[in-house]
Amino acid sequence: MSPALDQLQDRIGYTFRDSALLEQAVTHPSWLQAHRETVESNQRLEFLGDAVLQLILTEALFQEYAAEREGALSQRRASLTKGPFLALLAREIGLEACLRLGGSEEAAGGRTRASALEDAFEGVIGAIYLDSDLPAVRRVVLGLYGSLSDRLALEKFDNPKGRLQEMIQPVHGNEALRYEVTNVEGADHAREYEVAVLLNSEPVGTGRGTSKKLAEEAAAEAALAALSARKNA
């Protein structure tokens, strides 16, 4: 196992018995194109991890907000499981350094792409569940989230598009950013949008979401991470 994955285990407070599960969790589909020996990417683990996250957070919110009705609880859960927020959690644990990406995806900035980070985060959660049990993965998840009320208070006022505009405006002016839908997938009732945000016609971030708004927010988060990394390089 790579040193980056060893460090990741330290940060999340969980040591895998089956290290292959962790390696699969951070394997982007693009990796398979050049590594035929790798059988599977993180897509199935992502599917499982999403369901595990939903269950753990549903239970935790049900207990913490005992007076709230279903609609309010659903909104809180949605805030804590949406793509940009999961990408934020992924960055907090340094997951971007652990991703296994194909060459073209790496060159295209896939390591800072919000959708790749979100998928890998859910993949790690699914991998922990398979490697252990529900109590163990619950401990890890709630440890990574910390206080749900504090997370929700910050998330309520989080505006990645606004933060990106504030970063860009002093240097490039008000009209430098543009959001463009680059792909739409799925049936009418289950659309998924991919959006690119362009800075003076240069793509600086992409994001995916079940609505244009969520995809734009994810793209803005990716752009913020990419531009900050470029600035600090």
Side-chain angles (χ1 to χ4, degrees):
M1 188 180 295
S2 70
L5 290 181
D6 285 335
Q7 293 167 13
L8 177 66
Q9 291 180 102
D10 290 338
R11 287 192 292 270
I12 65 177
Y14 181 83
T15 301
F16 277 81
R17 291 174 290 184
D18 183 358
S19 60
L21 282 170
L22 179 56
E23 291 179 344
Q24 182 183 338
V26 298
T27 300
H28 189 270
S30 64
W31 175 269
L32 305 187
Q33 298 168 10
H35 299 83
R36 300 298 183 185
E37 74 283 1
T38 304
V39 177
E40 194 169 1
S41 72
N42 60 12
Q43 289 178 309
R44 282 167 49 84
L45 285 176
E46 170 209 345
F47 169 77
L48 176 61
D50 174 66
V52 173
L53 270 177
Q54 294 282 336
L55 174 59
I56 291 171
L57 292 172
T58 297
E59 179 186 47
L61 291 168
F62 182 84
Q63 293 173 349
E64 186 162 344
Y65 297 93
E68 286 194 350
R69 298 181 65 84
E70 177 188 2
L73 291 172
S74 295
Q75 289 179 351
R76 292 183 185 277
R77 184 182 62 193
S79 292
L80 295 172
T81 56
K82 67 182 183 180
F85 188 80
L86 296 184
L88 171 65
L89 291 176
R91 294 185 186 101
E92 287 182 357
I93 59 174
L95 196 51
E96 68 276 11
C98 304
L99 297 181
R100 299 206 295 179
L101 303 170
S104 59
E105 182 69 16
E106 181 82 65
R111 197 166 294 278
T112 60
R113 201 186 303 275
S115 59
L117 291 169
E118 172 195 353
D119 292 350
F121 184 84
E122 290 177 331
V124 169
I125 299 306
I128 295 172
Y129 176 75
L130 291 180
D131 194 64
S132 56
D133 52 27
L134 186 57
V137 72
R138 181 189 292 115
R139 175 185 59 78
V140 173
V141 167
L142 296 181
L144 295 178
Y145 272 84
S147 168
L148 296 185
S149 59
D150 287 348
R151 289 285 192 182
L152 287 164
L154 290 172
E155 183 65 11
K156 182 177 180 181
F157 299 104
D158 186 39
N159 179 6
K161 291 179 66 176
R163 287 190 284 120
L164 181 61
Q165 183 68 27
E166 289 176 2
M167 174 189 287
I168 296 303
Q169 182 177 341
V171 179
H172 299 279
N174 290 327
E175 307 301 323
L177 291 174
R178 178 166 57 88
Y179 292 85
E180 182 177 290
V181 176
T182 56
N183 192 34
V184 182
E185 298 177 353
D188 289 344
H189 66 282
R191 290 288 192 205
E192 184 171 50
Y193 296 85
E194 182 173 279
V195 168
V197 56
L198 297 92
L199 172 59
N200 293 326
S201 300
E202 176 196 355
V204 289
T206 62
R208 298 178 70 90
T210 53
S211 69
K212 292 180 184 178
K213 178 178 182 295
L214 290 176
E216 287 177 356
E217 289 178 352
E221 285 282 6
L224 284 163
L227 293 172
S228 296
R230 186 187 304 179
K231 181 179 179 181
N232 296 328

